Amino acid sequence: MADGTGGVHVIVFANEKGGTGKSTTAVHVAIGLAARGSRVAALDLDHRQRTMGRYFDNRAATARRTGHELPTPLHETHDGESMDRFQESLERLSSDVDFLVIDTPGRDDRFARLAVTNADTLVTPMNDSFVDFDLIGQVDPDTFKVTRPSFYSELIWETRKHRAKADGATIDWVVLRNRLQHIEARNMRRVSEAIDQLSKRVGFRAIPGLSERVIYREMFPQGLTMLDSREFGAMGLSHVAARQELREMMTALALPEPALPLFAA
């Protein structure tokens, strides 16, 4: 495995804009890895929202209430203040695990920047819209051609160069495209073309993410995910489609082995 933090593969979910499905995706990836048998820890750096931490707390409560064993990563939430606590959490959670999943705030944050420097896989979720694209690049208002990378893209570029010089490691930057149902086809095509142009300039991979499904938000109080099929009983078409999205997303992330079967049929 890559060596971001002592042999553990560090996956950082980062986007300085909110509302992109970042925490929901981070939770599903962490639980997906745990469900396949990997040893997983998770660190929530957003001490204000605490979406990831609360999701896992809800999940633990559901497991106790139902008596069902639900694969859940070891997790904690940072206080947003202490550098010593951040370093201690990073080291402790990285001990004896295969993956460390870090969720960051939807804003500029010093701990998020430090987390990115430790990443082996950096995931930036974004919705398929030019509002979200503006985080990573700017386009001409008439032609929709990319005119320049954004400050955020330049920051990640410099971070990747520094990491390569420091220990020879490569940060795999993945832009995760969450599909919005209400965007019309022509605009979606323009966004797609802009992402393709920019990916060649700054070196990220663009992969399919999750759709704007109410079902993902509805599962938060119980801490469940689309992986917990026995909790649903009979699954409807929306559940099946959402599970397929997760399969495709996890495959496209191309995370290290062990490649045990994901998601029992």
Side-chain angles (χ1 to χ4, degrees):
M1 287 189 180
D3 196 18
T5 306
V8 62
H9 190 93
V10 180
I11 309 169
V12 177
F13 285 79
N15 187 323
E16 293 182 1
K17 289 188 176 182
T20 60
K22 175 176 56 61
S23 296
T24 298
T25 308
V27 166
H28 276 75
V29 168
I31 293 175
L33 291 169
R36 80 178 189 180
S38 295
R39 300 169 301 167
V40 185
L43 178 59
D44 190 347
L45 295 182
D46 192 349
H47 69 288
R48 298 178 187 173
Q49 298 293 328
R50 288 198 70 240
T51 302
M52 172 185 268
R54 290 176 60 206
Y55 212 121
F56 290 142
D57 289 344
N58 293 344
R59 186 172 179 82
T62 295
R64 290 192 299 269
R65 185 176 65 254
T66 63
H68 290 167
E69 185 176 343
L70 299 173
T72 305
L74 174 69
H75 66 279
E76 67 178 67
T77 300
H78 185 243
D79 61 7
E81 299 292 337
S82 171
M83 181 60 67
D84 288 342
R85 179 173 173 178
F86 172 77
Q87 295 292 351
E88 189 272 336
S89 296
L90 200 63
E91 293 175 10
R92 178 164 39 79
L93 291 173
S94 298
S95 177
D96 297 322
V97 297
D98 302 309
F99 296 95
L100 172 60
V101 178
I102 302 177
D103 188 26
T104 64
R107 59 184 182 275
D108 186 23
D109 176 86
R110 62 172 177 153
F111 296 108
R113 292 194 182 198
L114 285 172
V116 169
T117 66
N118 285 282
D120 298 301
T121 300
L122 171 63
V123 183
T124 301
M126 60 170 282
N127 298 316
D128 262 0
S129 72
F130 280 115
V131 172
D132 278 17
F133 181 83
D134 193 64
L135 172 78
I136 58 175
Q138 299 175 10
V139 298
D140 182 278
D142 297 317
T143 66
F144 297 99
K145 299 294 184 182
V146 174
T147 57
R148 56 164 295 172
S150 69
F151 173 78
Y152 184 78
S153 288
E154 292 173 349
L155 176 66
I156 300 303
W157 178 268
E158 290 301 319
T159 300
R160 296 169 83 190
K161 287 199 302 183
H162 177 75
R163 176 71 180 278
K165 290 180 180 178
D167 60 13
T170 300
I171 299 176
D172 182 20
W173 186 16
V174 180
V175 170
L176 188 71
R177 298 177 57 187
N178 292 322
R179 297 180 287 275
L180 294 175
Q181 300 299 315
H182 61 269
I183 290 185
E184 53 94 14
R186 183 175 62 175
N187 194 50
M188 187 173 293
R189 185 177 66 251
R190 287 171 173 170
V191 173
S192 180
E193 290 171 352
I195 290 173
D196 289 343
Q197 290 177 42
L198 188 59
S199 69
K200 295 179 175 64
R201 291 181 63 171
V202 299
F204 60 74
R205 295 191 295 122
I207 69 171
L210 307 179
S211 294
E212 191 182 31
R213 297 182 186 275
V214 174
I215 187 171
Y216 293 112
R217 298 188 290 274
E218 289 179 339
M219 292 185 293
F220 173 78
Q222 294 177 298
L224 297 177
T225 71
M226 294 314 304
L227 314 182
D228 306 302
S229 58
R230 68 178 178 178
E231 302 296 329
F232 290 98
M235 295 181 69
L237 290 178
S238 62
H239 295 83
V240 174
R243 281 166 61 87
Q244 181 59 32
E245 282 185 340
L246 285 171
R247 290 190 182 98
E248 294 172 358
M249 182 187 73
M250 293 294 290
T251 298
L253 281 173
L255 298 171
E257 304 294 343
L260 299 178
L262 279 166
F263 321 129

